[in-house]
Amino acid sequence: KLLAEAAPRTPPRTVRLAEFQAMGACCSGEGEVVPDPPSLNEIFENLPAAERKLWRIAFASLDSTNARKLASDHELLKIFLVGSTTLQHEGEIASAVKQFASADGFLDKEAFGKLMQANSQDDTSALTMFQQMTAHSDEETIDCADARTQLLLFAQGRLGIGAEWEDALWDRVLDASLASADLQLNMESWVKCCGLFTRYVLAINQQMSPLP
């Protein structure tokens, strides 16, 4: 496997999702048409549409009582967000949820979608990575081959996703994420590609590890 020698820094997110599943979330209630999950091909062909499908499915699964809203302190919501967004810690999860929750502390389907979209990439971490990669160089760009390596490390380390993925899938994700990049990436190009890469990884992880 690619980067098999790299020491894992974060437990795989499928473990966290297994914890979610063990807590017994249910599928959606009456009156809500939940789409079928997108295929891998659909994710690569139309990522925004695939993301919207995945988020609708997740909301329906979390809304086990068909209340059409989720409490901001919903424990299963917190577990899901750790496994499906760039949010990692309880404090940042609470802050992000509060930003989109209503005054009475609930998230409807629209607010949930906005929450997911706002936290499907991490530009701050991408900037930090770029600064670290170029700190000891006179160049203000990074090589595309180095970018591929660093993106893999980001996914398996910072996000804790994909240690068990096949090389062919990683190649497909990296090719799609860097399709518009030149052989040398400046800071703007790196942040853009890193954001797209993160969205692909999170979407595929949700597609491969669906909620019950």
Side-chain angles (χ1 to χ4, degrees):
K1 295 290 184 287
L2 292 170
L3 300 180
E5 70 278 6
R9 288 177 277 175
T10 305
R13 297 210 164 193
T14 50
V15 173
R16 296 190 182 114
L17 288 179
E19 179 185 355
F20 177 95
Q21 292 165 353
M23 295 178 72
C26 300
C27 293
S28 68
E30 300 176 359
E32 179 69 22
V33 177
V34 181
D36 292 330
S39 65
L40 279 176
N41 283 339
E42 288 175 323
I43 291 174
F44 284 109
E45 290 168 2
N46 192 336
L47 179 59
E51 288 173 323
R52 289 192 295 270
K53 282 186 177 181
L54 289 164
W55 299 339
R56 286 179 61 192
I57 294 168
F59 182 86
S61 296
L62 289 164
D63 182 23
S64 58
T65 63
N66 196 30
R68 301 181 185 275
K69 60 183 180 180
L70 304 172
S72 57
D73 60 352
H74 193 311
E75 288 300 322
L76 301 183
L77 171 64
K78 295 176 184 178
I79 294 171
F80 171 74
L81 291 175
V82 170
S84 304
T85 69
T86 60
L87 300 170
Q88 291 277 299
H89 307 294
E90 186 172 347
E92 61 182 357
I93 290 172
S95 177
V97 171
K98 183 178 180 180
Q99 180 182 354
F100 294 97
S102 61
D104 56 352
F106 287 90
L107 292 165
D108 61 15
K109 184 169 62 178
E110 181 180 357
F112 177 79
K114 290 179 179 179
L115 169 67
M116 295 297 294
Q117 183 174 31
N119 295 284
S120 62
Q121 60 189 72
D122 186 351
D123 290 349
T124 300
S125 291
L127 284 169
T128 299
M129 289 174 64
F130 186 85
Q131 292 166 354
Q132 292 172 343
M133 287 185 285
T134 57
H136 304 291
S137 172
D138 294 332
E139 301 292 333
E140 295 186 355
T141 61
I142 59 173
D143 184 79
C144 190
D146 292 335
R148 293 176 73 91
T149 300
Q150 292 301 319
L151 288 172
L152 278 168
L153 289 171
F154 178 73
Q156 296 182 11
R158 169 71 170 80
L159 298 177
I161 291 175
E164 74 287 358
W165 290 7
E166 296 293 332
D167 291 356
L169 177 56
W170 276 123
D171 284 338
R172 192 174 182 186
V173 173
L174 289 164
D175 289 346
S177 302
L178 295 164
S180 64
D182 296 325
L183 293 178
Q184 296 290 323
L185 285 73
N186 60 19
M187 183 174 66
E188 181 180 358
S189 180
W190 162 258
V191 171
K192 177 182 177 181
C193 291
C194 190
L196 183 58
F197 171 81
T198 303
R199 290 173 60 198
Y200 276 123
V201 170
L202 291 173
I204 292 170
N205 192 54
Q206 290 175 64
Q207 191 264 1
M208 295 176 70
S209 304
L211 303 179

